[in-house]
Amino acid sequence: MAQWKKVILSVFLIALALFIDGSVVLNAPQLLNTRLGQIVPHLTTIMLITLSYYFDETYMQLFALVVGFIKDSYYVGFLGIYMVGFFAMIYIIRQVQSFFNEQFIVYVLLGILGIFLIENFAYFIYNMLSITQMDWATFYIKRLGITLFVNSALTVIVTFLIDKLFLHLKATEFKL
Amino acid sequence: MKKFFSNKKLIGLLITVILFITVLSLSFNRMGNIPFFQTITNDVTGVFGRLFEAPIRAVDGLFSKVNNLQDTYIENQRLKKEIDRIGEVQAENQAIRQENEKLKEELELQATLTEYEKITATVIARNPDKWLDIVVIDRGSTDGLKVGMSVLGGKGLIGRITEVNPTSSKVMLLTHAEQQAVQTSAEVTTEDGETIYGVITHYDPQRKQLIMDRITSDATIEEGTSVVSSGLGGVVPRGLLIGEVAEVSMDEHGLSQQIYVTPTEDFDQIRFVTVISRNARTVNENEFSKEEEPNE
């Protein structure tokens, strides 16, 4: 598959994930505020991690930096958290990935690790800036647990679909 | 030492950490006053965001219409009763408005704390991480929006504009009342006619209630009394409904009263907003100190 086509596809998928994350919070808040705690949609994070398996590491790190910049600028209002968070997450995921075989279950577990890292990093920074006064225990019980659980299921689906999509595109050489 | 700096990864990490802290602190301190490239990014993303939201809004609107149709008969009966009363209220309002205008002319008042202009807007996105409760609206500086303007939901005050781009803006909700950007001076009028002033300074997510403190009076405040903005903060106009008193208790130091306020708005269901532009001029500190200086 031509490299530029892959790049356009990755940009489209990430943009879609970025808007879905914001849209779910806006249009279906009742799905996210559960009795067990607050679910945070992490489709952008999952998509970044999944796409990182199909692209060059340097490209993905730069891509993560740009996506983080857009997320910070558009949703948060100040820069830094997701810019550096996504960049570091992709770096760590790729380093850890090199120790394992290329298996579906490994990809899913790495996706869950990525969400864990980004949630903890964001909480640490927001806590440091006194934007949240939530303690670590409450964060783990009321937010991280249920967020990881739901996003793990999402990771399985996204990893499977992206894998099928790239296999299909490779087989047809993008003759769509 | 030589070996230490030959480690490229370590140097890379150090540079990344330094850059991160610099960008974060600069950006956090300049929140609301963003650079040009960030403004462009926000507006371009906003255009795509609007395109993405359009079909979702259309489908949502269709479901709302079906739901509304089911309630039509009951609503119709209630509205008929209200229409009977509306003529009377309108006549009374007209008389009061005319009287108010005359009194203002006599006092030569330019604008009072209760006067404001409205700009309606649609919410196009919401921060997904929920640490900062921020919504993005489809109006910006080209529509006359400025940082600090108050924002109303369908019923009452929900927050304040914290960032303005040419065609989009960010609204920080009152659920972040501990942030200075959205703290609001408020007032409650007791049954005896005494007005009690305070500041909305916190939001309790467990109770889903706002907390009004810095109350200087020890007067008895009844539950259910309306809490409105006092207009004394210099930015928010007077008389915007915030909520109603749910509970009155002593603060954690036991020195003054604090009021739990049930907001009029459900902060999870914000789709359309009204931005309020206060007409009364705000006197800043420099102007105030000049006015206070004695003439030589």
Side-chain angles (χ1 to χ4, degrees):
Chain A
M1 193 197 311
Q3 191 64 24
W4 67 271
K5 286 177 183 172
K6 268 174 75 178
V7 170
I8 290 174
L9 185 67
S10 65
V11 170
F12 173 75
L13 288 172
I14 284 289
L16 197 68
L18 200 68
F19 290 127
I20 289 174
D21 275 349
S23 188
V24 170
V25 176
L26 178 65
N27 295 302
Q30 65 279 5
L31 292 178
L32 305 175
N33 298 323
T34 64
R35 206 162 40 84
L36 295 171
Q38 171 79 49
I39 302 167
V40 182
H42 271 290
L43 195 58
T44 314
T45 315
I46 297 166
M47 198 65 87
L48 266 176
I49 296 167
T50 312
L51 288 174
S52 75
Y53 308 136
Y54 304 92
F55 288 89
D56 171 57
E57 189 177 340
T58 316
Y59 165 77
M60 271 321 290
Q61 280 175 356
L62 281 173
F63 191 50
L65 199 72
V66 174
V67 173
F69 167 74
I70 294 170
K71 185 163 180 172
D72 278 338
S73 184
Y74 186 58
Y75 287 124
V76 182
F78 58 91
L79 306 175
I81 296 180
Y82 289 101
M83 261 172 88
V84 174
F86 284 158
F87 177 82
M89 179 193 74
I90 293 294
Y91 176 78
I92 294 167
I93 292 286
R94 289 300 292 255
Q95 294 300 311
V96 176
Q97 190 203 345
S98 62
F99 296 110
F100 298 97
N101 294 327
E102 290 185 3
Q103 283 179 321
F104 180 76
I105 188 72
V106 172
Y107 287 172
V108 171
L109 289 174
L110 287 175
I112 297 166
L113 173 71
I115 299 161
F116 177 82
L117 290 173
I118 207 79
E119 265 291 302
N120 275 282
F121 180 70
Y123 169 71
F124 173 71
I125 300 297
Y126 279 119
N127 206 346
M128 203 175 70
L129 295 172
S130 297
I131 286 171
T132 179
Q133 274 78 44
M134 192 186 280
D135 55 78
W136 282 95
T138 313
F139 165 65
Y140 275 92
I141 296 163
K142 283 283 176 193
R143 186 173 156 128
L144 189 66
I146 186 79
T147 297
L148 271 183
F149 181 74
V150 173
N151 282 287
S152 299
L154 205 60
T155 308
V156 175
I157 298 165
V158 172
T159 310
F160 177 76
L161 289 178
I162 295 289
D163 189 49
K164 289 285 168 215
L165 177 72
F166 274 84
L167 277 175
H168 174 73
L169 293 177
K170 200 176 175 183
T172 56
E173 284 298 317
F174 216 74
K175 287 172 189 167
L176 296 172
Chain B
M1 195 71 178
K2 200 176 176 183
K3 197 179 175 186
F4 179 83
F5 281 107
S6 66
N7 193 335
K8 280 184 187 173
K9 281 184 182 172
L10 200 61
I11 294 170
L13 179 69
L14 282 173
I15 292 170
T16 310
V17 170
I18 292 164
L19 277 176
F20 167 59
I21 293 169
T22 311
V23 168
L24 188 71
S25 57
L26 279 175
S27 188
F28 192 64
N29 285 330
R30 286 167 60 92
M31 209 175 164
N33 183 20
I34 56 171
F36 180 70
F37 66 92
Q38 211 179 325
T39 307
I40 295 291
T41 309
N42 288 350
D43 271 351
V44 172
T45 317
V47 169
F48 287 109
R50 258 169 264 185
L51 287 174
F52 182 81
E53 273 294 310
I56 297 169
R57 209 166 285 280
V59 173
D60 187 52
L62 197 71
F63 280 111
S64 300
K65 276 177 190 166
V66 174
N67 282 341
N68 289 342
L69 209 63
Q70 288 173 340
D71 302 330
T72 306
Y73 178 74
I74 303 164
E75 205 170 336
N76 195 27
Q77 295 298 313
R78 188 175 56 81
L79 288 172
K80 272 181 183 170
K81 281 178 194 166
E82 280 185 22
I83 284 170
D84 293 339
R85 283 182 46 241
I86 226 164
E88 192 186 325
V89 176
Q90 266 184 340
E92 197 182 325
N93 274 349
Q94 185 68 21
I96 292 169
R97 200 173 289 138
Q98 282 172 353
E99 194 180 307
N100 196 18
E101 287 297 321
K102 277 182 190 170
L103 287 170
K104 272 187 198 169
E105 278 172 25
E106 279 181 31
L107 287 167
E108 293 179 354
L109 272 176
Q110 295 297 317
T112 63
L113 294 176
T114 53
E115 288 182 359
Y116 49 80
E117 283 167 14
K118 293 177 181 176
I119 303 156
T120 52
T122 307
V123 179
I124 53 171
R126 191 163 183 163
N127 183 14
D129 75 10
K130 297 287 269 181
W131 288 120
L132 264 178
D133 221 353
I134 287 176
V135 294
V136 184
I137 58 171
D138 66 344
R139 299 282 176 147
S141 56
T142 48
D143 303 291
L145 264 62
K146 286 177 187 157
V147 171
M149 282 182 171
S150 308
V151 181
L152 301 178
K155 298 167 196 161
L157 190 69
I158 57 163
R160 215 161 311 157
I161 303 266
T162 52
E163 183 191 299
V164 176
N165 304 297
T167 61
S168 65
S169 304
K170 284 194 182 71
V171 179
M172 194 182 280
L173 302 181
L174 280 179
T175 46
H176 268 286
E178 64 273 12
Q179 294 294 310
Q180 213 172 1
V182 282
Q183 288 191 347
T184 307
S185 56
E187 65 178 39
V188 183
T189 306
T190 62
E191 280 183 355
D192 306 332
E194 187 188 345
T195 305
I196 295 161
Y197 295 99
V199 181
I200 302 286
T201 54
H202 288 87
Y203 177 75
D204 187 332
Q206 265 77 47
R207 298 175 64 143
K208 293 196 169 184
Q209 284 171 345
L210 296 159
I211 299 167
M212 176 177 165
D213 55 17
R214 299 182 200 167
I215 297 161
T216 47
S217 170
D218 55 359
T220 311
I221 304 157
E222 292 292 319
E223 286 176 15
T225 315
S226 293
V227 179
V228 296
S229 60
S230 67
L232 298 178
V235 184
V236 182
R238 189 180 180 192
L240 301 180
L241 187 63
I242 297 170
E244 58 180 45
V245 176
E247 188 191 325
V248 182
S249 60
M250 296 306 284
D251 67 5
E252 56 187 358
H253 306 293
L255 296 172
S256 62
Q257 293 190 99
Q258 68 175 16
I259 303 172
Y260 282 93
V261 181
T262 307
T264 46
E265 283 292 332
D266 179 359
F267 289 105
D268 283 337
Q269 302 287 344
I270 299 166
R271 302 290 179 85
F272 301 98
V273 297
T274 306
V275 184
I276 299 293
S277 169
R278 187 166 113 150
N279 288 353
R281 196 171 69 94
T282 304
V283 180
N284 65 35
E285 278 178 25
N286 296 336
E287 282 177 287
F288 185 72
S289 55
K290 271 183 197 170
E291 282 172 19
E292 287 290 295
E293 279 171 17
N295 293 328
E296 289 176 10

